[in-house]
Amino acid sequence: MSHPHTKWKPVRKAVFPVAGLGTRFLPATKVMPKEMLPLVDRPLIQHAVEEAQAAGIEEFIFVTGRQKEMLEEHFDYQPELERTLKARGKQDMIDKVRTCEIGESQLFLTRQARPLGLGHAIWCARKLVGDEPFAIMLPDDVILSDTPCLKQMIEHYNETGGNMVAVMDVPKEDTSKYGVLDVESDDGTLASIKGLVEKPHPEDAPSTLSVIGRYILQPEIFGHLSKFETGAGGEIQITDAMAKLIGTQPFHGLRYEGERYDCGSRAGFIEANIAFSLRDPEIGASIQKMIQKHALAINAEAAYSRLE
Ligand code: G1P
């Protein structure tokens, strides 16, 4: 897809809303940001940043809050650590440390002082985004795929222009956890969207095709966000502002290739650790053995209780 649409600017910036409290992981997140929880060997935020880097993003905008300083430290150059590792001859560890540097003048931070919703968090980044399209990466949503999810989206965006969200089909009873699409047409990969509803009850949901945490939006979204209208849960919702762009600009949902894990929940986070660690060249084989051992124990227990 090498013919970028002339009317639409390229996506160079990504916004990472990271001000959330992470109450579902207390007490682990009492002082540590939930985005620092490790998925195998790197924190959740690093998985999101690496996905954006692989998609060609040049500017990384964190919307942070109190007690989130560790996030910016994580992506900084750490000379003392590197000196110590060098003195000990641990070049492999130095290489690992360097994978999480964001280049100088590529990381920008702003704060969301009050938890007024995802739409408000994105509005807080408006000055740093300026008048160009941008991506949003929700670090809670981790996608295991051959081609990074945002890269897939940008390739399609370069053909369609406008706005795009990553989507997946969810069980009908789960629509109340997601932004849900009202679909105009659907070719099995790209769905053209005629409406969006935030967290509808299953009976009211226009479909089961739901937004997961990757977005490409045009800067006109900020005009809608700045009205500070509240929606589901009394929060300023990005979904409601996006719905207002429909009809004025193209809006598509992309069924990306890959498996998404909800790392905002404990069970989803643990499943992600299992899936990612199975693919880890250093520990994958031993993790597989451990899972087999536990599966055998579970099966034996079930067989025993049938006998009782
Ligand atoms: C947010 C969005 C929702 C989207 C979801 C994806 O909800 O508001 O539209 O479907 O992320 O994970 P949250 O999970 O923050 O409640």
Side-chain angles (χ1 to χ4, degrees), residues 24 34 118-119 138 140-141 166 175-180 196-199 210-215 235-240 242 260 262 264:
R24 275 184 274 183
K34 66 171 174 167
L118 179 57
L138 305 189
D140 278 357
D141 281 332
T175 57
S176 56
K177 297 182 191 157
Y178 296 95
V180 178
L196 281 162
V197 195
E198 180 67 7
K199 301 196 170 79
S210 301
V211 178
I212 70 122
R214 302 290 180 274
Y215 309 70
E235 296 186 349
I236 300 167
Q237 299 287 354
I238 192 75
T239 306
D240 297 339
M242 294 193 303
R260 171 259 190 177
D262 174 13

Side-chain angles (χ1 to χ4, degrees), residues 19-264:
L21 287 177
T23 47
R24 275 184 274 183
F25 287 92
L26 283 170
T29 50
K30 189 179 163 197
V31 291
M32 184 181 73
K34 66 171 174 167
E35 297 81 10
M36 288 304 292
L37 290 168
L39 179 45
V40 188
D41 60 355
R42 52 197 69 197
L44 290 172
I45 185 67
Q46 191 178 342
H47 285 270
V49 164
E50 285 182 9
E51 183 184 327
Q53 285 170 327
I57 294 298
E58 297 163 12
E59 294 188 15
F60 303 80
I61 301 165
F62 287 6
V63 182
T64 76
R66 287 176 294 282
Q67 295 199 319
K68 296 281 184 169
E69 292 78 10
M70 204 186 276
L71 294 172
E72 61 198 270
E73 290 291 337
H74 182 73
F75 291 99
D76 206 347
Y77 172 50
Q78 299 290 354
E80 292 85 5
L81 177 61
E82 290 205 14
R83 264 199 304 276
T84 310
L85 292 172
K86 194 159 186 227
R88 294 183 185 165
K90 294 201 182 297
Q91 186 57 43
D92 53 337
M93 290 298 156
I94 295 179
D95 294 343
K96 282 195 179 182
V97 167
R98 286 196 182 146
T99 61
C100 48
E101 270 176 41
I102 293 181
E104 275 171 71
S105 82
Q106 284 194 300
L107 176 60
F108 299 86
L109 297 124
T110 185
R111 283 197 178 218
Q112 181 190 26
R114 286 158 299 145
L116 299 180
L118 179 57
H120 176 254
I122 302 306
W123 175 84
C124 290
R126 70 201 181 285
K127 292 264 165 61
L128 295 170
V129 170
D131 188 27
E132 60 180 287
F134 63 104
I136 303 173
M137 315 281 295
L138 305 189
D140 278 357
D141 281 332
V142 178
I143 300 136
L144 185 56
S145 58
D146 293 334
T147 306
C149 182
L150 185 64
K151 185 160 195 253
Q152 298 177 42
M153 292 173 73
I154 288 180
E155 283 171 359
H156 284 277
Y157 167 81
N158 288 342
E159 297 290 313
T160 62
N163 305 272
M164 190 173 290
V165 285
V167 296
M168 70 175 199
D169 264 307
V170 302
K172 192 158 175 59
E173 64 270 23
D174 285 348
T175 57
S176 56
K177 297 182 191 157
Y178 296 95
V180 178
L181 276 57
D182 194 353
V183 176
E184 183 170 64
S185 63
D186 188 350
D187 70 7
T189 303
L190 274 183
S192 177
I193 304 177
K194 65 175 178 197
L196 281 162
V197 195
E198 180 67 7
K199 301 196 170 79
H201 285 291
E203 316 89 71
D204 306 325
S207 77
T208 54
L209 208 52
S210 301
V211 178
I212 70 122
R214 302 290 180 274
Y215 309 70
I216 293 173
L217 298 175
Q218 298 297 322
E220 286 74 21
I221 193 83
F222 293 118
H224 298 295
L225 288 174
S226 62
K227 293 185 186 129
F228 281 19
E229 285 168 8
T230 52
E235 296 186 349
I236 300 167
Q237 299 287 354
I238 192 75
T239 306
D240 297 339
M242 294 193 303
K244 298 204 173 109
L245 292 176
I246 296 170
T248 66
Q249 296 177 338
F251 215 124
H252 293 92
L254 173 67
R255 288 189 169 85
Y256 54 94
E257 168 277 314
E259 191 70 35
R260 171 259 190 177
Y261 298 94
D262 174 13
C263 291

